[in-house]
């Protein structure tokens, strides 16, 4: 097979022709990739829950929002990578593409080093500040510090995936995750069941899987023959391109980071209900993350297709990209949310058989997951605004609507409030954010179209 044929097979034409089918083909591997990435943590939760005990389950589960807090700023930068490179492709600016790829690699390396150091320093103070129960704290700290050793490789993989997404290639990152996912599951079973390593075992399995991810994706980019080829020998800071990436990526990362902070405060409030509530919430949260990856996949699809077409000046095509993303994400989310809530006992069975844990997990699924489709609108519209070079606006709206409101809810939450009442803030905040985002998008769209007409 020639190199030209290989490149065409691994890329998608975003600038002409039909949109619905290419967007679906772009999004499906992203959904599958997100499920596999989340499965790293889900397998950790399931293995320790089944073979170690509820304390270990709580130790792993309570780290989910903490890990999100630590890595989201840097993963937000990968959104900037996708937007900038895709925009250059739409402009047919080959030099800009090559410069952005090099800048992305430098950013990934720097971000990874920062994350490695940060996790080792803040693990215990942060988990202590979250009122992690004493019987869980030491295991939770061990888990987080070991995962910190793999975070540089996680970031490298995500930056590499963003580079490939800019040309429409979502298949190869997915296949990489298939391989590493199998390795992760196998090592989990070996380390926990055979070697009795407990929480440390599932953490090291995830680290090894992340190292494998990073190695393969770097190898692909080094061997790539198109403009996104990575020349390791020529790596050097390109401050202009790094700033362009940061202008888009930092607001996205800030949004995700503040979002994680608000969730951490909610986790702290959940902790006050005891270890059963912590474990049940951790089990249910896996399915919220699984469903969120559908939203995230179509959001990334909206960014990639929107950025290329905005770079090429195809504004009407951008409007259609947003519409199709909204339809796909909302319909799929409604189906998944209802299905999981309806058969929640079946879906929770792999994580725990404890009736107290199951009760809390089921309550969270009904109160939160069943209404998650509401978040589709602000996520898709925010993605299109980033493609249109308005990255700070959706970040600020989301920070207020889904973060500040949740923090106020936790702050004023009564001491005799119930678990379900605490969780009801999720659908309330999603609805409020949708309304604000709708108003902002209509105003910005009019401005962009009028500038183009002039």
């Amino acid at each position: 097979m020639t190199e030209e044929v290989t490149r065409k097979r691994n890329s998608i034409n975003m600038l002409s022709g039909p949109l619905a089918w290419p967007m679906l083909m772009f999004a499906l591997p992203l959904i599958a990739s997100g499920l596999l990435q989340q499965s790293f943590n889900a397998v950790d939760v399931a293995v320790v829950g089944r073979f170690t005990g509820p304390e270990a389950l709580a130790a792993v589960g309570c780290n989910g929002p903490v890990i999100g807090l630590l890595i989201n700023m840097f993963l937000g930068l990968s959104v900037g990578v996708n937007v900038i490179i895709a925009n250059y492709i739409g402009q047919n600016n080959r030099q800009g593409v090559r410069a952005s790829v090099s800048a992305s690699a430098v950013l990934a390396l720097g971000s990874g080093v920062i994350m490695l150091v940060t996790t080792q320093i803040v693990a215990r103070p942060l988990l202590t500040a979250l009122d992690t129960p004493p019987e869980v704290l030491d295991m939770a700290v061990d888990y987080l510090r070991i995962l910190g050793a793999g975070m540089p490789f996680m970031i490298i993989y995500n930056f590499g995936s963003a580079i490939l997404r800019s040309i429409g290639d979502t298949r190869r990152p997915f296949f990489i995750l298939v391989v590493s996912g199998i390795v992760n599951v196998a090592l989990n079973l070996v380390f926990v069941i055979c070697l009795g390593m407990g929480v440390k075992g599932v953490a090291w399995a995830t680290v090894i899987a992340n190292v494998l991810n990073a190695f393969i994706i770097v190898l692909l980019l080094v061997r790539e023959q198109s403009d996104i080829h990575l020349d390791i020998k020529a790596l050097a800071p390109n401050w202009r391109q790094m700033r362009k990436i940061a202008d888009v990526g930092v607001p996205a990362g800030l949004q995700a980071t503040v979002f994680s902070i608000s969730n951490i405060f909610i986790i702290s409030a959940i902790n006050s209900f005891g270890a059963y509530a912590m474990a049940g919430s951790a089990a249910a949260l896996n399915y919220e993350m699984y469903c969120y990856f559908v939203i995230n996949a179509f959001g990334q699809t909206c960014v990639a297709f929107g950025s290329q077409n905005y770079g090429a000046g195809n504004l009407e095509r951008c409007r259609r990209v947003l519409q199709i993303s909204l339809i796909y994400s909302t319909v799929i989310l409604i189906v998944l949310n209802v299905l999981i809530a309806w058969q929640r006992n079946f879906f929770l069975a792999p994580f725990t058989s404890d009736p107290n844990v199951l009760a809390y997990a089921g309550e969270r699924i009904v109160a939160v997951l069943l209404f998650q489709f509401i978040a589709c609108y602000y996520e898709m519209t925010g993605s299109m605004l980033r493609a249109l070079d308005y990255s700070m606006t959706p970040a600020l709206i989301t920070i207020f609507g889904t973060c500040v409101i949740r923090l106020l809810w936790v702050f004023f939450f009564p001491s005799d409030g119930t678990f379900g009442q605490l969780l009801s803030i999720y659908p309330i905040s999603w609805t409020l954010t949708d309304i604000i985002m709708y108003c902002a998008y209509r105003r910005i769209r009019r401005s962009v179209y009028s500038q183009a007409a002039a």
Side-chain angles (χ1 to χ4, degrees):
M1 184 178 293
T2 65
E3 292 176 356
E4 181 65 25
V5 172
T6 301
R7 286 196 295 272
K8 288 183 178 180
R9 185 189 66 181
N10 291 322
S11 62
I12 293 176
N13 179 10
M14 304 183 191
L15 298 174
S16 61
L19 279 170
W21 182 252
M23 288 177 65
L24 183 62
M25 292 300 98
F26 184 97
L28 287 178
L30 286 176
I31 294 172
S33 297
L35 295 177
L36 283 173
Q37 279 194 304
Q38 178 60 21
S39 293
F40 288 173
N41 183 256
V43 170
D44 292 353
V45 172
V47 170
V48 297
R50 282 290 181 180
F51 299 102
T52 305
E55 291 82 10
L57 175 61
V60 173
C62 71
N63 266 298
V66 176
I67 294 167
L69 170 66
L70 293 173
I71 69 172
N72 276 336
M73 175 57 74
F74 299 107
L75 295 185
L77 285 174
S78 70
V79 176
V81 171
N82 192 352
V83 169
I84 298 304
I85 297 177
N87 195 266
Y88 279 136
I89 292 172
Q91 298 172 13
N92 198 28
N93 185 341
R94 300 181 65 184
Q95 182 177 355
V97 171
R98 290 191 288 268
S100 296
V101 169
S102 180
S104 301
V106 174
L107 276 174
L109 290 172
S111 300
V113 171
I114 293 172
M115 283 307 308
L116 174 61
V117 175
T118 301
T119 50
Q120 306 312 307
I121 295 173
V122 306
R124 183 171 292 274
L126 186 54
L127 287 167
T128 301
L130 293 175
D131 296 324
T132 304
E135 66 271 20
V136 172
L137 180 60
D138 286 341
M139 285 188 291
V141 170
D142 287 340
Y143 183 77
L144 182 56
R145 283 179 172 165
I146 294 171
L147 281 191
M151 284 187 184
F153 304 98
M154 182 192 304
I155 291 173
I156 289 171
Y157 168 79
N158 278 280
F159 272 63
S161 297
I163 293 172
L164 292 174
R165 284 198 304 272
S166 66
I167 64 168
D169 183 1
T170 56
R171 295 173 58 193
R172 286 185 290 177
F174 166 67
F175 291 137
I176 293 172
L177 284 174
V178 170
V179 174
S180 63
I182 294 172
V183 170
N184 183 58
V185 172
L187 291 178
N188 266 315
L189 297 175
V190 170
F191 289 164
V192 175
I193 299 175
C194 299
L195 302 180
M197 294 173 64
V199 168
K200 292 182 180 180
V202 294
W204 280 117
T206 302
V207 169
I208 294 170
N210 285 329
V211 172
L212 183 61
N213 283 341
F215 173 78
I216 297 175
I217 207 158
V218 169
L219 183 63
L220 285 179
L221 291 172
V222 168
R223 298 179 61 182
E224 179 70 37
Q225 299 299 312
S226 67
D227 290 333
I228 63 167
H229 164 73
L230 176 63
D231 186 353
I232 294 180
K233 294 181 180 179
L235 287 183
N238 183 324
W239 300 110
R240 179 174 178 272
Q241 295 300 328
M242 290 169 68
R243 181 173 180 178
K244 288 173 70 71
I245 292 170
D247 285 345
V248 177
V250 168
L254 180 64
Q255 169 186 320
T257 299
V258 176
F259 187 84
S260 294
I261 292 173
S262 69
N263 281 340
I264 282 177
F265 276 92
I266 293 179
I267 289 294
S268 181
I270 288 173
N271 290 352
S272 67
F273 287 90
Y276 289 126
M278 289 176 62
S281 181
L285 185 61
N286 284 287
Y287 291 105
E288 291 172 37
M289 293 303 299
Y290 282 139
C291 290
Y292 177 75
F293 280 116
V294 175
I295 302 176
N296 186 56
F298 284 106
Q300 292 184 40
T301 303
C302 192
V303 165
F305 278 75
S307 296
Q308 277 205 22
N309 282 282
Y310 179 61
N314 297 329
L315 295 181
E316 178 59 25
R317 198 169 170 86
C318 289
R319 184 185 64 82
R320 290 171 54 207
V321 165
L322 176 58
Q323 288 179 340
I324 294 170
S325 299
L326 276 171
I327 292 171
Y328 275 140
S329 60
T330 304
V331 171
I332 294 174
L333 251 291
I334 289 175
V335 172
L336 289 176
N337 293 166
V338 172
L339 175 63
I340 296 171
W342 175 42
Q343 296 293 328
R344 52 188 176 276
N345 291 333
F346 169 80
F347 284 104
L348 290 170
F351 296 100
T352 182
S353 58
D354 189 299
N356 295 308
V357 175
L358 286 171
Y360 278 106
E363 190 170 359
R364 174 158 187 148
I365 285 177
V366 173
V368 180
L369 181 69
L370 188 58
F371 300 97
Q372 193 181 27
F373 69 90
I374 299 172
C376 290
Y377 181 82
Y378 79 77
E379 289 281 1
M380 296 308 114
T381 307
S383 295
M384 180 53 69
L385 288 175
R386 291 188 182 93
L388 298 177
D389 203 22
Y390 283 85
S391 188
M392 185 58 75
T393 300
L396 292 176
I397 292 172
T398 306
I399 286 171
F400 174 77
T402 65
C403 302
V404 175
I405 297 300
R406 291 179 189 177
L407 292 176
L408 291 173
W409 186 270
V410 171
F411 182 78
F412 291 107
F413 190 72
S415 58
D416 59 347
T418 66
F419 187 68
Q421 289 170 345
L422 174 65
L423 297 176
S424 65
I425 188 56
Y426 283 95
I428 293 172
S429 60
W430 288 330
T431 301
L432 178 62
T433 308
D434 279 353
I435 295 170
I436 301 173
M437 194 73 77
Y438 171 79
C439 298
Y441 174 70
R442 285 184 61 86
R443 179 181 58 81
I444 291 173
R445 188 182 68 177
R446 286 195 298 267
S447 174
V448 171
Y449 274 65
S450 63
Q451 290 175 12

